Amino acid sequence: MDTKDIFHPENKTIKQIFGESGVSYHIPIYQRPYSWNEEIVEKLWDDILEAYQNNDKNYFLGSLVVIKNQNQDFYDVVDGQQRLTTLIILFCVLRDLDVVGEKQKNIVINSIKDLAEDKERLKLTTHLNNQALFDETILKKINFQLTKKEQDSNIFIQTAYYFKDFIEKSQKEDLNENLKKVDLNDFINYLFNKTTIIRIVCSDEIFAIKLFSILNDRGLDLNAADIIKAYLLQKIAGDHTKSNSFIEVWKQIEGICKNADEKLQDIFSSYLYYLKPENPKKALQDELKEQFKDKDPQSIILDVKKFAENILEITSDTKDRDISLLRYLKHSVYWKSILATAKHVNYPSYQELKSLLVKYYYQSWIADGTSNRIKQTSFNILKAVKGGEAVKPVQDISEIKKLIVNNIGERDYLTFLDNKNAYNSTWHKPVLLAIEYYLHEKDKIDFIPITNDLHTEHILPKEWNKEGLNWVDKFIDDNAKNLINKLGNLTLLSGTKNIRASNCNFSDKKEIYSGNHGRGFDGKTSFEITKRVIDNNLEWGIENINKRHAWIIDQAQTIFSIY
């Protein structure tokens, strides 16, 4: 078959794309909903405006991959729907702001609806689920009197308001900043006649989706999950029942990701580690394509959905202290992959595995373990949990313990906990929080996020020798320097209390920790680890710090030691 019979690239101006009589565009069900944010919309506006102001010969807006529908007189948009939708919104804004001349306004209106036909036809039909909203709030007439709340509830309206602001700013002059008022009539002539798109018309749906995947594989705006979606749809292109079913499951997975506060791409990364528990050698989409090449897309997507549900189940328990501690780790993809895999294969010692992961990752973190070493051990644990081969059955939890201990080797995390500069480590706050969780009855305390309001308090303050404080009665420079940043001198406070307590005598600190300082604090501090400073110490000296330091080390050893 001649290449021209499969696809035909055409360089078209915006006027030709939208002004051609009898031509309209339809967004298929498998496409993502409209999602452009202010940053992307503003970049589009600024780029076109800059090209216009620089008198560039033309501005290239990218490619548009479409399929000529044989039974209906429209194009299915395979790639480019975000740009087309954004341009239509811009046209409607220009129409409703009434800021251009009659000639330009007719061009704009004719690009929204085909007025040359007996029956008006929309130039762009968006997602079936969103078409009514798009039609009522954008295509018919934009209401520019909406509240901020009303704007935020409609992504199409948000984009319309962005364009309204951009257009209004373009009409202001500021000689100090060398800003001149934009001639909108002239700008519209440039937009429609000098801005171009390469429209690639395909006659075959399978080829169109493959072309879409290839274009985006090579650096355009889709991520690995989008490319995998197109790759799998390519396998069932032409079978609309299977395609629609696939899209419905994909939407369900996106909903699961939203509920789990996970990125879809991270779910696919974890799923790849389940399928192939080893360090990837290629890009995520290429690794997954290799895993999926001989498999049924519907079976794949259902299994991905089940895996995503496992991650949702794991992360949604806000009272599981093991999960709470794992949440503080930098490399979350590993522990989530291991635990989701354990649920996926019904690993018999799931609870013990969960607790063991806390011990391993925290020991490695505290002892400054290398990322590569942690990564490789994570893959080894995954292999042990997954099993599945005759020579590699699912391994008992005791075997995984041995595997971990062999990796940790002679590195003693307790030595690192004893460091006089623990405050400067990334792990000191999670370690204090770990003790906090274990001071409460199991599963009776909610996850405590590390935010700007959660502070590490130096009980002996950093400015201990400040004039007017009595710390100088108990400390000299040498011992203060060695004790200030040790774990024994650190505790947890909320933001407001930390500010009040930062440079006070111990008697004042105790009042602030208790909430009895006459400043409207709400009773005792909510942190049990800080209550114990109040309850167990009448004063705060070298002996108190050393005693509390030994207690913290003992607590950490109870939580993190494997044997």
Side-chain angles (χ1 to χ4, degrees), residues 253-263 267 308-316 327 336:
I253 295 171
E254 290 178 328
I256 293 168
C257 289
K258 185 176 181 180
N259 291 334
D261 195 22
E262 294 283 336
K263 294 179 180 177
I267 295 291
E309 288 170 339
N310 292 336
I311 290 180
L312 174 60
E313 182 182 348
I314 291 164
T315 57
S316 61
R327 283 174 181 266
K336 288 177 183 177

Side-chain angles (χ1 to χ4, degrees), residues 318-330:
T318 60
K319 293 185 180 296
D320 186 318
R321 63 190 181 194
D322 287 331
I323 298 301
S324 293
L325 290 176
L326 290 170
R327 283 174 181 266
Y328 301 131
L329 296 172
K330 181 179 179 181

